[in-house]
Amino acid sequence: MRKSLLLAAVAVMALGAGPALAKKQLVIVVKGLDNPFFEAINQGCQKWNKENASSEYECFYTGPASTSDEAGEAQIVQDMLSKPDTVAMAISPSNAPLIAQTIKSANPSIPIMTIDADLAKEDAGLRKTYLGTDNYLMGFKIGEYIKKGKPNGGKICTIEGNPAADNILRRAQGMRDALSGKEGLAALAGEGGWTEVAGCPVFTNDDGAKGVQAMTDILAANPDLDAFGIMGGWPLFGAPQPYRDLFKPMADKIASNAFVIGAADTIGDEVAIAREGLVTALVGQRPFEMGYKAPSVMIDLIEGKKVDDPVFTGLDECTKDTVDTCIQK
């Protein structure tokens, strides 16, 4: 009888210890699990976990299966905010207004921050800080490379992702400002010598194959096109072989700057494509650094420490001549 009571007491103690042993979740919600850029964020998150195995906190990475599933991301944000072990959250909004509305509806008491992509300026008060790329600067640098290649201007098409993704919109604005020498133009119509052709910008919803097909169609409709400004690396890292197939016949034109391509990111095959001379310049982000830093920033927010807003990670700039040294180690 005493043995039975002792076993029962041990069982109760074990059950009672369960919740205490559960780690507090520092949740990162990304736009989609199908994108290697976000997998690099996950790798940074997992490195933090490995280095902080004894911490009471755990970095938890999640998102919808597809980057194009805006509603799915919003639902995941809502679901994770309802979990008692979620103590802070970093969100990369695919659709910034939708995520802002989701946060407003949930009215969370835990710290919320954004990572990689921010909320729109009017909704910035819903989050404590933004961690990631200076997206305007990134687009501006892409524009500078395009302008350097063709200083007299020309006809250009901008390839964008989701029309409601704040980070992509900021990059496109930065590129236009660099090309035109003016600020805030919604489209280029001769400013700085640059004109955006009909049908552009093209929104691809971060789909690489769709991006390559869009560029194929734009080139066919505009044989006098001078440049592409690609605001995310999706066509290069998401559909590298179709991208190569499209631009290999134009390699000599790219080499001579008769045709210029400025693109975002240095993910997957992108640096190899730069080495092959099939893109003029890449301006890359540091997603691993974002994922690695995010848990520490969230803990600081939980503890009420002062956190800068924004917290920018750096940029890597790659051309054919610098591919061996352009990536931060």
Side-chain angles (χ1 to χ4, degrees), residues 126-145:
L126 295 171
R127 90 295 185 269
K128 298 294 185 181
T129 189
Y130 161 75
L131 167 67
T133 302
D134 183 337
N135 285 292
Y136 177 86
L137 177 62
M138 183 182 191
F140 196 92
K141 285 182 175 292
I142 291 171
E144 286 183 320
Y145 277 109

PDB file of all heavy atoms in Angstrom, residues 126-145:
ATOM      1  N   LEU A 126       2.113  49.054 -33.617  1.00  0.00           N
ATOM      2  CA  LEU A 126       1.668  47.727 -33.190  1.00  0.00           C
ATOM      3  C   LEU A 126       2.835  46.815 -32.842  1.00  0.00           C
ATOM      4  O   LEU A 126       2.628  45.759 -32.254  1.00  0.00           O
ATOM      5  CB  LEU A 126       0.825  47.071 -34.293  1.00  0.00           C
ATOM      6  CG  LEU A 126      -0.501  47.754 -34.624  1.00  0.00           C
ATOM      7  CD1 LEU A 126      -1.114  47.135 -35.879  1.00  0.00           C
ATOM      8  CD2 LEU A 126      -1.469  47.635 -33.451  1.00  0.00           C
ATOM      9  N   ARG A 127       4.044  47.207 -33.238  1.00  0.00           N
ATOM     10  CA  ARG A 127       5.206  46.373 -32.936  1.00  0.00           C
ATOM     11  C   ARG A 127       6.263  47.212 -32.239  1.00  0.00           C
ATOM     12  O   ARG A 127       6.290  48.440 -32.347  1.00  0.00           O
ATOM     13  CB  ARG A 127       5.733  45.687 -34.199  1.00  0.00           C
ATOM     14  CG  ARG A 127       6.785  46.371 -35.031  1.00  0.00           C
ATOM     15  CD  ARG A 127       6.376  47.651 -35.706  1.00  0.00           C
ATOM     16  NE  ARG A 127       7.404  48.193 -36.581  1.00  0.00           N
ATOM     17  CZ  ARG A 127       8.342  49.053 -36.240  1.00  0.00           C
ATOM     18  NH1 ARG A 127       8.448  49.467 -35.002  1.00  0.00           N
ATOM     19  NH2 ARG A 127       9.207  49.500 -37.127  1.00  0.00           N
ATOM     20  N   LYS A 128       7.148  46.528 -31.499  1.00  0.00           N
ATOM     21  CA  LYS A 128       8.145  47.223 -30.697  1.00  0.00           C
ATOM     22  C   LYS A 128       9.351  47.659 -31.525  1.00  0.00           C
ATOM     23  O   LYS A 128       9.948  48.703 -31.257  1.00  0.00           O
ATOM     24  CB  LYS A 128       8.611  46.327 -29.549  1.00  0.00           C
ATOM     25  CG  LYS A 128       7.519  45.923 -28.567  1.00  0.00           C
ATOM     26  CD  LYS A 128       6.990  47.125 -27.811  1.00  0.00           C
ATOM     27  CE  LYS A 128       5.996  46.703 -26.742  1.00  0.00           C
ATOM     28  NZ  LYS A 128       5.443  47.869 -26.005  1.00  0.00           N
ATOM     29  N   THR A 129       9.742  46.834 -32.497  1.00  0.00           N
ATOM     30  CA  THR A 129      10.889  47.159 -33.336  1.00  0.00           C
ATOM     31  C   THR A 129      10.828  46.343 -34.615  1.00  0.00           C
ATOM     32  O   THR A 129      10.045  45.386 -34.728  1.00  0.00           O
ATOM     33  CB  THR A 129      12.218  46.896 -32.606  1.00  0.00           C
ATOM     34  OG1 THR A 129      13.303  47.425 -33.382  1.00  0.00           O
ATOM     35  CG2 THR A 129      12.461  45.402 -32.388  1.00  0.00           C
ATOM     36  N   TYR A 130      11.653  46.717 -35.557  1.00  0.00           N
ATOM     37  CA  TYR A 130      11.840  45.962 -36.802  1.00  0.00           C
ATOM     38  C   TYR A 130      13.290  45.510 -36.853  1.00  0.00           C
ATOM     39  O   TYR A 130      14.209  46.319 -36.657  1.00  0.00           O
ATOM     40  CB  TYR A 130      11.509  46.833 -38.016  1.00  0.00           C
ATOM     41  CG  TYR A 130      12.095  46.309 -39.311  1.00  0.00           C
ATOM     42  CD1 TYR A 130      11.534  45.202 -39.949  1.00  0.00           C
ATOM     43  CD2 TYR A 130      13.215  46.901 -39.897  1.00  0.00           C
ATOM     44  CE1 TYR A 130      12.085  44.706 -41.129  1.00  0.00           C
ATOM     45  CE2 TYR A 130      13.763  46.413 -41.068  1.00  0.00           C
ATOM     46  CZ  TYR A 130      13.195  45.316 -41.685  1.00  0.00           C
ATOM     47  OH  TYR A 130      13.738  44.817 -42.840  1.00  0.00           O
ATOM     48  N   LEU A 131      13.501  44.221 -37.113  1.00  0.00           N
ATOM     49  CA  LEU A 131      14.836  43.650 -37.260  1.00  0.00           C
ATOM     50  C   LEU A 131      14.992  43.144 -38.687  1.00  0.00           C
ATOM     51  O   LEU A 131      14.213  42.297 -39.134  1.00  0.00           O
ATOM     52  CB  LEU A 131      15.031  42.487 -36.272  1.00  0.00           C
ATOM     53  CG  LEU A 131      16.253  41.589 -36.499  1.00  0.00           C
ATOM     54  CD1 LEU A 131      17.548  42.358 -36.257  1.00  0.00           C
ATOM     55  CD2 LEU A 131      16.187  40.360 -35.593  1.00  0.00           C
ATOM     56  N   GLY A 132      15.984  43.661 -39.379  1.00  0.00           N
ATOM     57  CA  GLY A 132      16.194  43.176 -40.737  1.00  0.00           C
ATOM     58  C   GLY A 132      16.896  44.195 -41.602  1.00  0.00           C
ATOM     59  O   GLY A 132      17.614  45.080 -41.131  1.00  0.00           O
ATOM     60  N   THR A 133      16.657  44.070 -42.879  1.00  0.00           N
ATOM     61  CA  THR A 133      17.318  44.892 -43.883  1.00  0.00           C
ATOM     62  C   THR A 133      16.737  46.297 -43.926  1.00  0.00           C
ATOM     63  O   THR A 133      15.538  46.482 -43.742  1.00  0.00           O
ATOM     64  CB  THR A 133      17.144  44.221 -45.263  1.00  0.00           C
ATOM     65  OG1 THR A 133      17.705  42.909 -45.211  1.00  0.00           O
ATOM     66  CG2 THR A 133      17.814  45.008 -46.361  1.00  0.00           C
ATOM     67  N   ASP A 134      17.588  47.263 -44.202  1.00  0.00           N
ATOM     68  CA  ASP A 134      17.123  48.593 -44.584  1.00  0.00           C
ATOM     69  C   ASP A 134      16.668  48.463 -46.032  1.00  0.00           C
ATOM     70  O   ASP A 134      17.469  48.584 -46.973  1.00  0.00           O
ATOM     71  CB  ASP A 134      18.256  49.612 -44.439  1.00  0.00           C
ATOM     72  CG  ASP A 134      17.811  51.033 -44.756  1.00  0.00           C
ATOM     73  OD1 ASP A 134      16.807  51.204 -45.472  1.00  0.00           O
ATOM     74  OD2 ASP A 134      18.489  51.976 -44.312  1.00  0.00           O
ATOM     75  N   ASN A 135      15.389  48.180 -46.220  1.00  0.00           N
ATOM     76  CA  ASN A 135      14.892  47.835 -47.546  1.00  0.00           C
ATOM     77  C   ASN A 135      14.957  48.996 -48.533  1.00  0.00           C
ATOM     78  O   ASN A 135      15.199  48.789 -49.725  1.00  0.00           O
ATOM     79  CB  ASN A 135      13.474  47.284 -47.433  1.00  0.00           C
ATOM     80  CG  ASN A 135      13.464  45.873 -46.890  1.00  0.00           C
ATOM     81  OD1 ASN A 135      13.910  44.942 -47.542  1.00  0.00           O
ATOM     82  ND2 ASN A 135      12.975  45.712 -45.668  1.00  0.00           N
ATOM     83  N   TYR A 136      14.743  50.206 -48.043  1.00  0.00           N
ATOM     84  CA  TYR A 136      14.870  51.359 -48.929  1.00  0.00           C
ATOM     85  C   TYR A 136      16.313  51.466 -49.441  1.00  0.00           C
ATOM     86  O   TYR A 136      16.556  51.655 -50.642  1.00  0.00           O
ATOM     87  CB  TYR A 136      14.464  52.641 -48.205  1.00  0.00           C
ATOM     88  CG  TYR A 136      14.657  53.882 -49.056  1.00  0.00           C
ATOM     89  CD1 TYR A 136      13.662  54.310 -49.934  1.00  0.00           C
ATOM     90  CD2 TYR A 136      15.843  54.615 -48.994  1.00  0.00           C
ATOM     91  CE1 TYR A 136      13.843  55.435 -50.726  1.00  0.00           C
ATOM     92  CE2 TYR A 136      16.038  55.732 -49.783  1.00  0.00           C
ATOM     93  CZ  TYR A 136      15.034  56.143 -50.647  1.00  0.00           C
ATOM     94  OH  TYR A 136      15.226  57.242 -51.443  1.00  0.00           O
ATOM     95  N   LEU A 137      17.284  51.324 -48.537  1.00  0.00           N
ATOM     96  CA  LEU A 137      18.697  51.395 -48.928  1.00  0.00           C
ATOM     97  C   LEU A 137      19.037  50.271 -49.899  1.00  0.00           C
ATOM     98  O   LEU A 137      19.790  50.476 -50.865  1.00  0.00           O
ATOM     99  CB  LEU A 137      19.587  51.317 -47.695  1.00  0.00           C
ATOM    100  CG  LEU A 137      21.099  51.314 -47.949  1.00  0.00           C
ATOM    101  CD1 LEU A 137      21.541  52.600 -48.625  1.00  0.00           C
ATOM    102  CD2 LEU A 137      21.850  51.106 -46.635  1.00  0.00           C
ATOM    103  N   MET A 138      18.494  49.097 -49.655  1.00  0.00           N
ATOM    104  CA  MET A 138      18.743  47.958 -50.541  1.00  0.00           C
ATOM    105  C   MET A 138      18.277  48.278 -51.966  1.00  0.00           C
ATOM    106  O   MET A 138      19.018  48.079 -52.942  1.00  0.00           O
ATOM    107  CB  MET A 138      18.007  46.726 -50.008  1.00  0.00           C
ATOM    108  CG  MET A 138      18.250  45.457 -50.790  1.00  0.00           C
ATOM    109  SD  MET A 138      17.259  44.112 -50.080  1.00  0.00           S
ATOM    110  CE  MET A 138      17.985  42.725 -50.931  1.00  0.00           C
ATOM    111  N   GLY A 139      17.050  48.793 -52.095  1.00  0.00           N
ATOM    112  CA  GLY A 139      16.546  49.158 -53.404  1.00  0.00           C
ATOM    113  C   GLY A 139      17.337  50.286 -54.027  1.00  0.00           C
ATOM    114  O   GLY A 139      17.582  50.299 -55.240  1.00  0.00           O
ATOM    115  N   PHE A 140      17.757  51.241 -53.196  1.00  0.00           N
ATOM    116  CA  PHE A 140      18.547  52.371 -53.693  1.00  0.00           C
ATOM    117  C   PHE A 140      19.858  51.867 -54.292  1.00  0.00           C
ATOM    118  O   PHE A 140      20.283  52.316 -55.364  1.00  0.00           O
ATOM    119  CB  PHE A 140      18.815  53.360 -52.562  1.00  0.00           C
ATOM    120  CG  PHE A 140      19.265  54.714 -53.028  1.00  0.00           C
ATOM    121  CD1 PHE A 140      18.340  55.723 -53.263  1.00  0.00           C
ATOM    122  CD2 PHE A 140      20.613  54.983 -53.237  1.00  0.00           C
ATOM    123  CE1 PHE A 140      18.747  56.982 -53.703  1.00  0.00           C
ATOM    124  CE2 PHE A 140      21.037  56.224 -53.671  1.00  0.00           C
ATOM    125  CZ  PHE A 140      20.097  57.241 -53.912  1.00  0.00           C
ATOM    126  N   LYS A 141      20.492  50.917 -53.607  1.00  0.00           N
ATOM    127  CA  LYS A 141      21.751  50.369 -54.117  1.00  0.00           C
ATOM    128  C   LYS A 141      21.532  49.609 -55.418  1.00  0.00           C
ATOM    129  O   LYS A 141      22.363  49.672 -56.345  1.00  0.00           O
ATOM    130  CB  LYS A 141      22.411  49.478 -53.065  1.00  0.00           C
ATOM    131  CG  LYS A 141      23.061  50.259 -51.923  1.00  0.00           C
ATOM    132  CD  LYS A 141      23.739  49.338 -50.942  1.00  0.00           C
ATOM    133  CE  LYS A 141      24.496  50.124 -49.877  1.00  0.00           C
ATOM    134  NZ  LYS A 141      25.672  50.832 -50.429  1.00  0.00           N
ATOM    135  N   ILE A 142      20.440  48.860 -55.505  1.00  0.00           N
ATOM    136  CA  ILE A 142      20.122  48.184 -56.771  1.00  0.00           C
ATOM    137  C   ILE A 142      19.987  49.223 -57.882  1.00  0.00           C
ATOM    138  O   ILE A 142      20.515  49.058 -58.996  1.00  0.00           O
ATOM    139  CB  ILE A 142      18.833  47.353 -56.636  1.00  0.00           C
ATOM    140  CG1 ILE A 142      19.075  46.146 -55.721  1.00  0.00           C
ATOM    141  CG2 ILE A 142      18.343  46.873 -58.006  1.00  0.00           C
ATOM    142  CD1 ILE A 142      17.818  45.377 -55.354  1.00  0.00           C
ATOM    143  N   GLY A 143      19.295  50.324 -57.577  1.00  0.00           N
ATOM    144  CA  GLY A 143      19.152  51.397 -58.558  1.00  0.00           C
ATOM    145  C   GLY A 143      20.481  52.009 -58.950  1.00  0.00           C
ATOM    146  O   GLY A 143      20.705  52.337 -60.124  1.00  0.00           O
ATOM    147  N   GLU A 144      21.382  52.163 -57.984  1.00  0.00           N
ATOM    148  CA  GLU A 144      22.697  52.731 -58.284  1.00  0.00           C
ATOM    149  C   GLU A 144      23.472  51.842 -59.253  1.00  0.00           C
ATOM    150  O   GLU A 144      24.146  52.345 -60.170  1.00  0.00           O
ATOM    151  CB  GLU A 144      23.487  52.927 -57.000  1.00  0.00           C
ATOM    152  CG  GLU A 144      23.014  54.088 -56.140  1.00  0.00           C
ATOM    153  CD  GLU A 144      23.861  54.309 -54.915  1.00  0.00           C
ATOM    154  OE1 GLU A 144      24.275  53.306 -54.283  1.00  0.00           O
ATOM    155  OE2 GLU A 144      24.101  55.476 -54.571  1.00  0.00           O
ATOM    156  N   TYR A 145      23.394  50.523 -59.065  1.00  0.00           N
ATOM    157  CA  TYR A 145      24.092  49.620 -59.982  1.00  0.00           C
ATOM    158  C   TYR A 145      23.489  49.708 -61.387  1.00  0.00           C
ATOM    159  O   TYR A 145      24.221  49.688 -62.389  1.00  0.00           O
ATOM    160  CB  TYR A 145      24.026  48.183 -59.469  1.00  0.00           C
ATOM    161  CG  TYR A 145      25.079  47.855 -58.444  1.00  0.00           C
ATOM    162  CD1 TYR A 145      24.749  47.663 -57.102  1.00  0.00           C
ATOM    163  CD2 TYR A 145      26.423  47.726 -58.816  1.00  0.00           C
ATOM    164  CE1 TYR A 145      25.726  47.355 -56.159  1.00  0.00           C
ATOM    165  CE2 TYR A 145      27.397  47.415 -57.875  1.00  0.00           C
ATOM    166  CZ  TYR A 145      27.048  47.235 -56.553  1.00  0.00           C
ATOM    167  OH  TYR A 145      28.023  46.945 -55.626  1.00  0.00           O
TER     168      TYR A 145
END
